[in-house]
Amino acid sequence: MMRLQRCAACGRAQYPPREVCGTCLSDQLTWESADSLPARVLARTRLHHSNEPRFRPHLPLTCGLVRFDAGPVAVCFLADAAVPGDLVRVRMGDNDLLRAE
Amino acid sequence: MRGHAPSQAAMMPGSYQGVALCCPVTEPYVRRSDHGAAWFLARALRRLLDAGGVAKTDVDGLCVSSFTSRPDTAVGFTQYVGVSPRVLEWLPMGGACGLIALRRAARAVQAGDAEIVACLAGDTANATSFRDLLAEFSSFARDAVYPYGAGGPNASFALIADAYMRATGATREDFGKLAVAQRANARRNPLALLRGELTMADYLAARPIAEPLHLFDCVMPCAGADGFLVMPEARARRLGLPFVRVLSAIERHNAFPDDPVQLRGGWAMDRDTLWAQAGIGPADVRFVETYDDYPVISMLQFEGLGFCTEGDGPAFVRRHDFTIEGSLPHNTGGGQLSMGQAGAAGGYLGLVEAMRQLLGAAEGRQVTNARHALVSGFGMINYDRGLCSAAAVLARP
């Protein structure tokens, strides 16, 4: 599943989640759920270094910046083949981490 | 100059007339240290008192920045070193903290709220301090960036660099030109930690860290501290201290929040004010100190501060020589890329270097006829972009 926060007052979607709407400051926030959400890749990187030992066996890791069609921008794990401009679907995987494919 | 944002021209800030910046000091950087951050800050304060010929009790204003002093802030530091200031600023603004300290201190001095303000930034560095800092850098970073491979600022700036290269046609050689020139400058600066020769071939052959960033695009974390004093010109004269003037200074936070990727910082919102108040333009400054946590960010500063137009950073870099004798000396002490990044002191480094140049105290790397300088700062990747930008135009009296 993929969840994205949306303000009930002004309708704006936001990410990362917070307790008030970053646009109108309302605290009437709802969650939209879907199997996946469409987004476009804005930028990508191949990480060859991590500050956490637990990631080191998995290097290199591909990460990206994507923009949901709903508006907000998210840092996520990215399919190795995805490049900026590509349309992707973003899902929440283990530990609620985002992955775009 | 092109306008980018709603004009701020109606609200020209008050002049910085009568304010003196004195005594740039550096507690030399080291790769690792067992000392705490307060030790580095205290050593820099001691240097300020010695350089200024003032007593600890004369310091009635204090601005402090540090990442690794936690849980202590500026408040705890007053008791640690036994000072009783009547103005106290804690400025956790990373790469913009030096310029923001300058602004706060200058206004406190002009208003008479303080007479002598000591501005300090410093940090320690040990095996775990950097990782601990990154893991808890901000709530957004902790929840929505760090879990994605824990690349830290390298990963965040890699994404910005990737977008910038695609948008402008910037190449690795363009970034490398800045890094190589800064290393050449650093080789003339005994305070720089990295003084080995760096060629373009070395730069291009370096191992990847977070593509498109490679080793020499990234700063080396280290320990150290920098500082300066702010006081009325009249007081500086009585103390016999040479000083630098502030012609103008700006700051902006969370600029252009709707830009999907950060291809510009906040400077564009305020640079017309900056140059109008200074009474000079980009072509009139003799040298430039940008915040170079990565070369791409220096390019954003050249663009945002009007040295070239937006997106023209690569062409600008190709037509200039950034070494001490070059057409536009840039990061004349080597910048963070060659001096090291001593945490929050990285936000002071360009400012103290500009002061040394304008005071004629840059020894083996002195820029000739250094009358005016532009210093720029950038800080705090809270989530996907740096939120704090600042700049100042400084002049030798």
Side-chain angles (χ1 to χ4, degrees), chain A residues 15-37:
Chain A
Y15 183 89
R18 56 205 88 164
E19 288 196 275
V20 298
C21 172
T23 301
C24 76
L25 306 185
S26 164
D27 65 355
Q28 302 302 302
L29 299 166
T30 61
W31 290 98
E32 286 184 355
S33 296
D35 180 52
S36 66
L37 284 175

Side-chain angles (χ1 to χ4, degrees), chain B residues 22-29 37 39-48 62-66 77 97-98 101 118-123 189 191 222-229 335-336 339-356 365:
Chain B
C22 314
C23 306
V25 301
T26 298
E27 176 60 27
Y29 294 5
W39 184 87
F40 285 95
L41 293 167
R43 294 277 297 181
L45 176 60
R46 175 77 261 165
R47 287 173 183 275
L48 283 179
L62 190 62
C63 298
V64 185
S65 299
S66 180
F77 188 67
C97 70
C119 299
L120 298 167
D123 271 292
N189 180 6
L191 289 170
C222 65
D226 291 283
F228 57 91
L229 294 177
Q336 295 180 84
M339 289 192 71
Q341 181 180 61
Y348 271 55
L349 180 151
L351 187 48
V352 296
E353 171 65 13
M355 288 173 66
R356 288 183 176 119
R365 61 184 189 285

Side-chain angles (χ1 to χ4, degrees), chain A residues 45-46 48 50 52 73 98, chain B residues 146 148-149 162 209 211 383:
Chain A
T45 179
R46 286 279 277 178
H48 296 265
S50 173
E52 290 290 342
V73 168
L98 304 184
Chain B
Y146 198 70
Y148 297 92
D162 180 59
I209 301 294
E211 292 176 68
Y383 170 48

Side-chain angles (χ1 to χ4, degrees), chain A residues 42-92:
Chain A
L42 299 173
R44 62 172 263 145
T45 179
R46 286 279 277 178
L47 283 186
H48 296 265
H49 172 268
S50 173
N51 294 286
E52 290 290 342
R54 71 177 186 274
F55 285 116
R56 288 179 192 154
H58 306 293
L59 296 173
L61 280 166
T62 305
C63 297
L65 195 65
V66 300
R67 186 179 200 178
F68 293 107
D69 290 4
V73 168
V75 175
C76 61
F77 289 122
L78 188 64
D80 287 345
V83 295
D86 284 359
L87 290 171
V88 289
R89 304 289 304 188
V90 183
R91 288 183 173 75
M92 265 179 184

Side-chain angles (χ1 to χ4, degrees), chain B residues 256-281:
Chain B
F256 307 120
D258 293 327
D259 286 4
V261 189
Q262 185 167 46
L263 296 179
R264 55 183 174 170
W267 307 282
M269 288 184 74
D270 304 290
R271 65 140 186 260
D272 291 353
T273 304
L274 180 78
W275 293 116
Q277 182 165 34
I280 62 173

